Amino acid sequence: MERPTRQRDTDQEEREQESEDTGQQTCPECESESISSDGGGELVCEDCGLVIEDENIDRGPEWRAFNHSERQSKSRVGAPTTQTMHDKGLTTQIDWKDKDAYGRSLSSEKRSQMHRLRKWQERIRTKDAGERNLQFALSEIDRMASALGVPRSVREVASVIYRRALDEDLIRGRSIEGVATACLYAACRQEGIPRSLEEVSDVSRVEQKEIGRTYRYVAQELELKMEPVDPKQYVPRFASELELSEEVQSKANEIIDKTAEQGLLSGKSPTGYAAAAIYAASLLCNEKKTQREVADVAQVTEVTIRNRYQEQIEAMGIH
């Protein structure tokens, strides 16, 4: 009688060892492999209903959510880290609303106390002058990016370029606003959302000449790979501001492609080249715009448009 018992014990040990090796748990009662978790930390056999384990660690949340918005509102994590803030968004911030957790207004004494706490919280977020300068530069980048209407990805890239310039000690001897503006201009070009130097200087507190000089210095020192700006990248924005149709846009792109193949683009301003192509396309598609209207949108002179326009129609063989 001992041999069958010993044999059964040996067989059970082998099955348990096999289940451990394969990662599959079996039911000790009916030997079924249909084991499931009920979500409350218990392992239950689906065939016989035996509760195998009832003290598993439940790593899920203690709250219930029935749709995506509820899950998002009850998430324990905060906003992701960002390069657009000097502390990468890891510090806390006291809300400006003078209300408690129930939405009730605070008393005058509590309001003055919260005002003092906000003031000191803003002061202690930066530990030295370097962090204060970084905070000012990143806030300038954010302000100018909002005025230019560029997406958040451009702001992130501009902040990363500025941090690299700061690590390489390229800020010394130059204005913080100038370097910040140059980094934003470089980020726009890298992300394929070009803005002309005129547009960037309009929202900056720095002269256009200084922005260009600082941009060339930063791009050279950081070895930024900058491709020449394609004039076609300006066409959709200029055409949209002029309320021109898709036909005019496609015709302008066609003019740019054909004339660039003949080498007319070399040494020319991409904004002026795109503006002239849009002006020529508007005439060809019977959606005439004056040179003054196109020049105002592209921020170039009428003389530039006339010169580029003459070159383009001669290259296209249009009379």
Side-chain angles (χ1 to χ4, degrees), residues 22-271:
T22 59
Q24 183 70 35
Q25 191 167 3
T26 58
C27 175
E29 185 71 24
C30 63
E31 300 182 357
S32 171
E33 294 184 355
S34 301
I35 309 298
S36 64
S37 173
D38 65 348
E42 295 181 347
L43 291 180
V44 182
C45 176
E46 294 181 355
D47 292 340
C48 66
L50 177 69
V51 177
I52 300 171
E53 292 185 18
D54 59 356
E55 294 183 356
N56 278 350
I57 298 175
D58 183 13
R59 303 186 186 278
E62 75 283 355
W63 39 260
R64 294 189 301 169
F66 301 99
N67 54 42
H68 179 70
S69 61
E70 286 188 12
R71 280 192 292 272
Q72 290 296 106
S73 63
K74 293 181 178 180
S75 176
R76 291 193 185 90
V77 297
T81 58
T82 174
Q83 298 288 340
T84 59
M85 301 177 70
H86 75 284
D87 52 12
K88 299 185 179 180
L90 296 175
T91 59
T92 57
Q93 190 168 4
I94 301 175
D95 196 8
W96 59 270
K97 298 176 182 177
D98 289 322
K99 294 186 178 183
D100 61 8
Y102 298 99
R104 296 178 298 212
S105 298
L106 300 177
S107 62
S108 59
E109 182 181 354
K110 284 289 184 183
R111 280 200 299 270
S112 61
Q113 181 184 1
M114 294 305 296
H115 178 70
R116 288 195 301 273
L117 286 174
R118 284 193 202 96
K119 186 186 296 182
W120 278 104
Q121 196 264 349
E122 283 296 323
R123 288 174 178 172
I124 64 176
R125 283 183 70 186
T126 53
K127 61 182 179 181
D128 53 23
E131 281 200 0
R132 281 195 298 274
N133 291 339
L134 179 61
Q135 183 182 25
F136 171 69
L138 297 181
S139 64
E140 278 292 292
I141 290 175
D142 195 58
R143 179 190 64 80
M144 292 185 291
S146 298
L148 289 172
V150 296
R152 187 160 190 84
S153 60
V154 175
R155 307 181 194 190
E156 293 280 350
V157 173
S159 302
V160 171
I161 294 174
Y162 185 87
R163 288 175 184 271
R164 286 185 59 194
L166 189 63
D167 293 339
E168 296 289 335
D169 200 22
L170 305 182
I171 317 295
R172 189 182 301 275
R174 291 171 177 79
S175 67
I176 295 175
E177 296 97 328
V179 178
T181 310
C183 292
L184 179 60
Y185 177 68
C188 289
R189 291 190 58 173
Q190 276 195 341
E191 291 296 293
I193 309 174
R195 294 292 187 270
S196 63
L197 273 175
E198 292 83 2
E199 292 176 292
V200 176
S201 63
D202 284 346
V203 300
S204 176
R205 300 189 179 99
V206 185
E207 293 182 359
Q208 180 180 333
K209 188 178 294 185
E210 183 183 347
I211 297 172
R213 186 167 56 244
T214 307
Y215 160 72
R216 287 190 293 272
Y217 173 72
V218 170
Q220 181 180 359
E221 291 295 322
L222 297 181
E223 298 181 352
L224 301 177
K225 304 299 181 183
M226 291 295 177
E227 297 290 334
V229 178
D230 188 355
K232 291 194 294 184
Q233 294 179 334
Y234 291 103
V235 170
R237 183 157 56 91
F238 292 168
S240 176
E241 293 182 24
L242 290 167
E243 298 180 352
L244 295 171
S245 63
E246 291 285 337
E247 182 185 0
V248 176
Q249 293 187 38
S250 60
K251 190 66 177 177
N253 289 331
E254 181 185 345
I255 292 173
I256 292 172
D257 287 334
K258 288 186 177 180
T259 55
E261 289 175 359
Q262 302 180 31
L264 293 183
L265 181 56
S266 178
K268 305 296 192 304
S269 168
T271 52

